[in-house]
Amino acid sequence: MMKTSAAVNHTVLEDNAQVKVTDKFWLNYMELIRTEMLPYQWRVLNDLEDIEIAKERDADYIPSEKSHAIENFKIAAGRSQGHHYGMVFQDSDVYKWLEAAAYTLARVPEDKKLRDAADSVVELIAAAQEDDGYLGTYFTVEAPKRKFKRLYQSHELYCAGHFIEAAVAYHKATGNQLVLDTACRLADCLDRHFGPEEHKIHGYDGHEEIELALFRLYETVGNKRYLELGRYFLYQRGKDPDFFRKQCRVDADTSVLIEGMEGFKDSYYQNHKPILEQETAEGHAVRVMYMCTGMAMLARLKNDGKMRQAAQRLWKNITEKRMYITGAVGSTVIGEAFTADYDLPNDSMYGETCASVGLMFFAHNMLKDEAGHGAYADVMERALYNTVLSGMALDGRHFFYVNPLEVVPELSRKDPGKSHIKTTRQAWFGCACCPPNLARLISSLDEYIYSTTDDTIYVDLYVGSEAELSLVDKKVALSMTSQFPWEGNVELTTKTDGRYGIALRIPSWARNYKIAVNGSVLHEGKQDGYVMLRRNWHKDDRITLEIPMEATLYQAAPEVREDIGRLAVQRGPLVYCAESIDNGDGLERIRLVDGMEFTYEYNDKLFSGAGILHTDAVREAKGSRLYSPYGKPRSLHRQELKLIPYYCWGNRGENEMMVWLYHK
């Protein structure tokens, strides 16, 4: 095992964008992650927290005794004795924790306790790395002769990708050279084993992730081999749909690395056809999102028009036919997967937190490639304020793996097909990918607020911040204050003189808006979802944007069978839901009525502060018979309906929840 770090000869490329989040709403979450979530997750990863670890669904093969993730590294490094425990990809829990720690330390570098813990993890990971650069505790400890031989199950490149992403972030935040050297050695190891050359493996991992990481590493150190290897993995996928089966026939060891994967079709792995020929999102939703993110990154880095068109095609299919109103994706528990166009069940869906995190990655990288296309930012906003936030409790210590749009606790307990629908957030999972994924995304939110072209700054998310952004011929500083998500008032102040563009996104949910510069109202129209303001700016010029936030009723396309005769409520970027704790059991018997009006109140004592909606509705009496002739009037009585932001549900104990409400 490698115990020390020798300098790797790479030149680090400069990243000139500097953004500091000042937004009260999001700083509360970032501080929650720093003070509660990261310390809590650290204790869980070290098996120091006395908690019950949940299985994300009823399945005997899911490990749920402990995390053991840090201990696995100690065993691989020769510091402890024992066997690997947990999923074959358990290492990735540590890597995502480290990446979240990196973003947190970039914001609060004086947090010595977090820095010491993160430095110790870096040193442990380096110690567990093998002399040839290979890194993967399961195979180092349990199956050294099976490296890269069962790629459909092994997650070796998936874990490698998560470490490389963490390494890039940690080096940028702290200057730690050991972590970057370790990542480059790992990437060099993969480059020696994979590629088009005759002596190399002509394949890829079953779970996309390494592609994103290699592109990020290339942008950091400038080594084109990493860019080309990431490109190879994308273009090789699906060229030989029999690749994984060929590996299994050669590997004499018949034991499986992860149970339950043997029967999945090629499409589960996005391996059913070459990547440029894939027209619909198929298979495991998180894998699709990571694949698409890599496609968008490659399109930008190589100006690859064919890859760009393929990414656009999948984006259109996902967001126009296979995405929930909350920004959730993944319709079935079987394979945590997409199914078919418009198949969007509410009470048996999957909607994994990681999938919406991945959707944000995809949207963000499409914006980096095609700045000024508001549809990407609209979806990014939708996923962020709804499904992503729903994935964590307000205490920072409990999490949803699955984010349904309808919950009846009794069915979750008794229906095997709904065992994945948890009624309250869990302390941890046997497959714990979501909690650290949440932490790393929200901690890095500063990277998602703006995008730029040579001469224009695009404001993609209205998150209060101080920014210094690089255009082709100058650096531009500006500040933004925002009352999102509760009110639609935004103010930007320029701090740099000169001629450049500032483009303000007008969200798709906005019915009206008003823009003023230094108090003078403007009447510019929007294009592709943005209003462009291009002029000679002066220091302390003030731009104001006012978007009225009104509760709006939405209907689904008629092809969505589950939502026929039902309506959803959205105010600003937030989707709302009903809980039985406020409205009584039997939410399916509540009916929205024509002409209903909503009243809004901000309650600073509920959910650490949240906007609540009230309206009049009617409730249908319980049926006296299971079936009865149509036409007989049913008993209705009026009741007040109280709606809360979807992300807040499940924070007050077990109860029913419903997003799509029936209409009278």
Coordinates of all heavy atoms in Angstrom, one line a residue, residues 188-233:
D188 N -4.5 7.7 -13.6 CA -3.5 7.1 -14.4 C -3.6 5.6 -14.4 O -3.4 4.9 -15.5 CB -2.1 7.5 -13.9 CG -1.8 8.9 -14.1 OD1 -2.4 9.6 -14.9 OD2 -0.9 9.4 -13.4
C189 N -4.0 5.0 -13.3 CA -4.2 3.5 -13.2 C -5.4 3.1 -14.2 O -5.3 2.2 -15.0 CB -4.6 3.1 -11.8 SG -5.1 1.4 -11.6
L190 N -6.5 3.9 -14.2 CA -7.6 3.6 -15.1 C -7.2 3.8 -16.5 O -7.6 3.0 -17.4 CB -8.8 4.5 -14.7 CG -9.3 4.4 -13.3 CD1 -10.5 5.3 -13.2 CD2 -9.7 3.0 -13.0
D191 N -6.4 4.8 -16.8 CA -5.9 5.0 -18.2 C -5.1 3.9 -18.7 O -5.0 3.6 -19.9 CB -5.2 6.3 -18.2 CG -4.9 6.8 -19.7 OD1 -5.8 6.8 -20.5 OD2 -3.7 7.1 -19.9
R192 N -4.3 3.2 -17.8 CA -3.5 2.1 -18.2 C -4.4 0.8 -18.5 O -4.0 0.0 -19.3 CB -2.5 1.7 -17.1 CG -1.4 2.7 -17.0 CD -0.2 2.2 -16.1 NE -0.7 1.9 -14.8 CZ -0.6 2.7 -13.8 NH1 -0.2 4.0 -14.0 NH2 -1.0 2.4 -12.6
H193 N -5.6 0.8 -17.9 CA -6.4 -0.4 -18.0 C -7.5 -0.3 -19.1 O -8.0 -1.3 -19.6 CB -7.0 -0.8 -16.7 CG -6.1 -1.4 -15.8 ND1 -5.3 -0.7 -14.9 CD2 -5.9 -2.8 -15.5 CE1 -4.6 -1.6 -14.2 NE2 -4.9 -2.8 -14.5
F194 N -8.0 0.9 -19.4 CA -9.1 1.1 -20.3 C -8.8 2.0 -21.4 O -8.0 2.9 -21.3 CB -10.3 1.8 -19.5 CG -10.9 0.9 -18.4 CD1 -10.3 0.9 -17.1 CD2 -11.9 0.1 -18.7 CE1 -10.9 0.1 -16.1 CE2 -12.5 -0.7 -17.7 CZ -12.0 -0.7 -16.4
G195 N -9.4 1.7 -22.6 CA -9.2 2.5 -23.8 C -9.3 1.7 -25.0 O -9.5 0.5 -25.0
P196 N -9.1 2.3 -26.2 CA -9.3 1.6 -27.5 C -8.1 0.7 -27.8 O -8.2 -0.1 -28.7 CB -9.4 2.7 -28.5 CG -8.6 3.9 -27.8 CD -8.8 3.7 -26.4
E197 N -7.0 0.8 -27.2 CA -5.8 0.0 -27.5 C -6.1 -1.5 -27.3 O -6.9 -1.8 -26.5 CB -4.6 0.4 -26.7 CG -4.1 1.9 -27.0 CD -4.8 2.9 -26.2 OE1 -5.8 2.6 -25.5 OE2 -4.4 4.1 -26.3
E198 N -5.4 -2.3 -28.1 CA -5.7 -3.7 -28.1 C -5.5 -4.4 -26.8 O -6.3 -5.3 -26.4 CB -4.8 -4.4 -29.2 CG -5.1 -5.9 -29.3 CD -4.3 -6.5 -30.4 OE1 -3.6 -5.8 -31.2 OE2 -4.3 -7.8 -30.6
H199 N -4.5 -4.0 -26.0 CA -4.2 -4.6 -24.7 C -5.1 -4.2 -23.6 O -5.0 -4.6 -22.4 CB -2.8 -4.4 -24.4 CG -2.4 -3.0 -24.1 ND1 -2.2 -2.1 -25.1 CD2 -2.2 -2.4 -22.9 CE1 -1.9 -0.9 -24.5 NE2 -1.9 -1.0 -23.2
K200 N -6.0 -3.2 -23.8 CA -6.8 -2.6 -22.7 C -8.2 -3.2 -22.7 O -8.6 -3.8 -23.7 CB -6.8 -1.1 -22.9 CG -5.5 -0.4 -22.7 CD -5.6 1.1 -22.7 CE -4.3 1.8 -22.5 NZ -4.4 3.3 -22.6
I201 N -8.9 -2.9 -21.6 CA -10.3 -3.3 -21.5 C -11.2 -2.4 -22.4 O -11.1 -1.1 -22.2 CB -10.8 -3.3 -20.0 CG1 -9.9 -4.2 -19.2 CG2 -12.3 -3.6 -19.9 CD1 -10.2 -4.0 -17.7
H202 N -12.0 -2.9 -23.2 CA -12.8 -2.1 -24.1 C -14.2 -2.1 -23.5 O -15.2 -2.6 -24.0 CB -12.9 -2.7 -25.5 CG -11.6 -2.8 -26.2 ND1 -11.3 -3.7 -27.2 CD2 -10.4 -2.2 -25.9 CE1 -10.0 -3.6 -27.6 NE2 -9.4 -2.7 -26.8
G203 N -14.3 -1.4 -22.4 CA -15.6 -1.3 -21.6 C -15.7 -0.1 -20.7 O -14.9 0.9 -20.9
Y204 N -16.5 -0.2 -19.7 CA -16.9 0.9 -18.8 C -17.6 0.3 -17.6 O -17.9 -0.8 -17.5 CB -17.8 1.8 -19.6 CG -18.7 1.0 -20.5 CD1 -19.9 0.4 -20.1 CD2 -18.4 0.8 -21.9 CE1 -20.7 -0.4 -20.9 CE2 -19.1 0.0 -22.7 CZ -20.3 -0.6 -22.2 OH -21.1 -1.3 -23.0
D205 N -17.9 1.2 -16.7 CA -18.5 0.8 -15.4 C -20.0 0.6 -15.7 O -20.6 1.3 -16.5 CB -18.3 1.8 -14.3 CG -18.5 1.2 -13.0 OD1 -17.6 0.5 -12.5 OD2 -19.5 1.5 -12.3
G206 N -20.7 -0.2 -14.9 CA -22.1 -0.3 -14.9 C -22.8 0.9 -14.4 O -24.0 1.1 -14.8
H207 N -22.2 1.7 -13.6 CA -22.8 2.9 -13.1 C -21.9 4.1 -13.5 O -20.8 4.3 -13.0 CB -22.9 2.8 -11.6 CG -23.8 3.8 -10.9 ND1 -23.8 5.2 -11.3 CD2 -24.8 3.7 -10.0 CE1 -24.7 5.8 -10.6 NE2 -25.3 4.9 -9.8
E208 N -22.5 5.0 -14.4 CA -21.8 6.1 -14.8 C -21.4 7.0 -13.6 O -22.2 7.2 -12.7 CB -22.6 6.9 -15.8 CG -22.9 6.2 -17.1 CD -24.2 5.4 -17.0 OE1 -24.6 5.1 -15.9 OE2 -24.8 5.1 -18.1
E209 N -20.3 7.6 -13.7 CA -19.8 8.6 -12.7 C -18.3 9.0 -13.0 O -18.0 10.2 -12.9 CB -19.9 8.1 -11.2 CG -19.0 8.8 -10.2 CD -19.3 10.3 -10.1 OE1 -20.4 10.7 -10.4 OE2 -18.5 11.0 -9.6
I210 N -17.5 8.0 -13.4 CA -16.1 8.3 -13.7 C -16.0 9.4 -14.8 O -15.0 10.2 -14.8 CB -15.4 7.0 -14.1 CG1 -13.9 7.3 -14.2 CG2 -15.9 6.4 -15.4 CD1 -13.2 7.8 -12.9
E211 N -16.9 9.4 -15.7 CA -16.8 10.4 -16.8 C -16.8 11.8 -16.3 O -16.0 12.6 -16.7 CB -18.0 10.2 -17.8 CG -18.0 8.8 -18.4 CD -18.8 7.8 -17.6 OE1 -19.2 8.1 -16.4 OE2 -19.0 6.6 -18.1
L212 N -17.7 12.1 -15.4 CA -17.8 13.5 -14.8 C -16.5 13.8 -14.1 O -16.0 14.9 -14.2 CB -18.9 13.5 -13.8 CG -20.4 13.5 -14.2 CD1 -20.8 12.2 -14.9 CD2 -21.3 13.8 -13.0
A213 N -16.0 12.8 -13.4 CA -14.8 13.1 -12.6 C -13.6 13.3 -13.4 O -12.8 14.2 -13.1 CB -14.6 11.9 -11.6
L214 N -13.4 12.5 -14.5 CA -12.2 12.7 -15.4 C -12.3 14.1 -16.0 O -11.2 14.7 -16.2 CB -12.2 11.6 -16.4 CG -11.8 10.2 -15.9 CD1 -12.1 9.1 -16.9 CD2 -10.4 10.2 -15.4
F215 N -13.5 14.5 -16.4 CA -13.6 15.9 -17.0 C -13.2 16.9 -16.0 O -12.6 17.9 -16.3 CB -15.0 16.1 -17.6 CG -15.4 15.1 -18.7 CD1 -16.7 14.7 -18.9 CD2 -14.4 14.7 -19.6 CE1 -17.0 13.9 -19.9 CE2 -14.7 13.8 -20.6 CZ -16.0 13.4 -20.8
R216 N -13.7 16.8 -14.7 CA -13.3 17.8 -13.7 C -11.8 17.7 -13.4 O -11.2 18.8 -13.2 CB -14.1 17.5 -12.4 CG -15.6 17.8 -12.5 CD -16.3 17.7 -11.2 NE -15.8 18.7 -10.3 CZ -16.2 18.7 -9.0 NH1 -17.0 17.8 -8.5 NH2 -15.8 19.7 -8.2
L217 N -11.2 16.5 -13.4 CA -9.8 16.4 -13.2 C -9.0 17.1 -14.3 O -8.0 17.8 -14.1 CB -9.4 15.0 -13.0 CG -8.0 14.7 -12.6 CD1 -7.7 15.4 -11.2 CD2 -7.7 13.2 -12.5
Y218 N -9.5 16.9 -15.5 CA -8.8 17.5 -16.7 C -8.9 19.0 -16.6 O -7.9 19.7 -16.8 CB -9.5 17.1 -18.0 CG -9.3 18.0 -19.1 CD1 -8.0 18.1 -19.7 CD2 -10.3 18.9 -19.6 CE1 -7.8 19.0 -20.8 CE2 -10.1 19.8 -20.6 CZ -8.8 19.8 -21.2 OH -8.6 20.7 -22.2
E219 N -10.1 19.6 -16.2 CA -10.2 21.0 -16.0 C -9.3 21.6 -14.9 O -8.9 22.7 -14.9 CB -11.6 21.4 -15.7 CG -12.6 21.2 -16.9 CD -14.0 21.7 -16.7 OE1 -14.7 21.0 -15.9 OE2 -14.4 22.7 -17.2
T220 N -9.0 20.7 -14.0 CA -8.1 21.1 -12.8 C -6.6 21.1 -13.2 O -5.9 22.0 -12.9 CB -8.4 20.2 -11.6 OG1 -9.8 20.4 -11.3 CG2 -7.6 20.7 -10.4
V221 N -6.2 20.0 -13.8 CA -4.8 19.8 -14.0 C -4.3 19.9 -15.4 O -3.1 19.9 -15.7 CB -4.3 18.4 -13.4 CG1 -4.6 18.3 -12.0 CG2 -4.9 17.2 -14.2
G222 N -5.3 19.9 -16.4 CA -4.9 20.1 -17.8 C -4.4 18.9 -18.5 O -3.9 19.0 -19.6
N223 N -4.5 17.7 -17.9 CA -3.9 16.5 -18.6 C -5.0 16.0 -19.6 O -6.0 15.5 -19.2 CB -3.6 15.4 -17.6 CG -2.9 14.2 -18.2 OD1 -3.1 13.9 -19.3 ND2 -2.0 13.6 -17.4
K224 N -4.7 16.0 -20.9 CA -5.7 15.7 -21.9 C -6.0 14.2 -21.9 O -7.0 13.8 -22.5 CB -5.2 16.1 -23.3 CG -5.2 17.6 -23.4 CD -4.9 18.0 -24.9 CE -5.0 19.6 -25.0 NZ -4.7 20.0 -26.4
R225 N -5.1 13.4 -21.3 CA -5.4 11.9 -21.3 C -6.7 11.7 -20.5 O -7.5 10.8 -20.8 CB -4.3 11.2 -20.6 CG -3.1 11.0 -21.5 CD -2.0 10.1 -20.9 NE -1.5 10.6 -19.7 CZ -1.7 10.0 -18.5 NH1 -2.5 9.0 -18.4 NH2 -1.1 10.5 -17.4
Y226 N -6.9 12.5 -19.5 CA -8.1 12.3 -18.7 C -9.4 12.7 -19.4 O -10.4 12.1 -19.4 CB -8.0 13.2 -17.4 CG -6.8 12.9 -16.5 CD1 -6.3 13.8 -15.7 CD2 -6.2 11.6 -16.6 CE1 -5.1 13.6 -14.9 CE2 -5.1 11.3 -15.8 CZ -4.6 12.3 -15.0 OH -3.5 12.0 -14.2
L227 N -9.3 13.8 -20.2 CA -10.4 14.2 -21.1 C -10.7 13.1 -22.1 O -11.9 12.7 -22.3 CB -10.0 15.5 -21.8 CG -11.0 16.0 -22.9 CD1 -12.3 16.3 -22.3 CD2 -10.4 17.2 -23.6
E228 N -9.7 12.5 -22.7 CA -9.9 11.5 -23.7 C -10.4 10.2 -23.1 O -11.2 9.5 -23.8 CB -8.6 11.3 -24.5 CG -8.2 12.5 -25.4 CD -9.3 12.9 -26.3 OE1 -9.9 12.0 -26.9 OE2 -9.5 14.1 -26.5
L229 N -10.0 9.9 -21.9 CA -10.5 8.7 -21.3 C -12.0 8.8 -21.0 O -12.8 7.9 -21.2 CB -9.7 8.3 -20.0 CG -10.1 7.0 -19.3 CD1 -10.0 5.8 -20.2 CD2 -9.2 6.8 -18.1
G230 N -12.4 10.0 -20.4 CA -13.8 10.2 -20.2 C -14.6 10.2 -21.4 O -15.7 9.6 -21.5
R231 N -14.1 10.7 -22.5 CA -14.8 10.7 -23.8 C -14.9 9.2 -24.3 O -15.9 8.8 -24.8 CB -14.0 11.5 -24.9 CG -14.6 11.5 -26.2 CD -13.7 12.2 -27.3 NE -14.4 12.3 -28.6 CZ -14.4 11.3 -29.5 NH1 -13.8 10.2 -29.2 NH2 -15.1 11.5 -30.6
Y232 N -13.8 8.4 -24.1 CA -13.9 7.0 -24.5 C -15.0 6.3 -23.8 O -15.7 5.5 -24.4 CB -12.5 6.3 -24.2 CG -12.6 4.9 -24.5 CD1 -12.5 4.3 -25.7 CD2 -12.7 4.0 -23.4 CE1 -12.6 3.0 -26.0 CE2 -12.8 2.6 -23.6 CZ -12.7 2.1 -24.9 OH -12.8 0.8 -25.1
F233 N -15.1 6.5 -22.5 CA -16.1 5.7 -21.7 C -17.5 6.1 -22.2 O -18.4 5.2 -22.3 CB -16.0 6.1 -20.2 CG -14.9 5.4 -19.5 CD1 -14.1 6.2 -18.6 CD2 -14.6 4.1 -19.7 CE1 -13.0 5.5 -17.9 CE2 -13.6 3.5 -19.0 CZ -12.8 4.2 -18.1

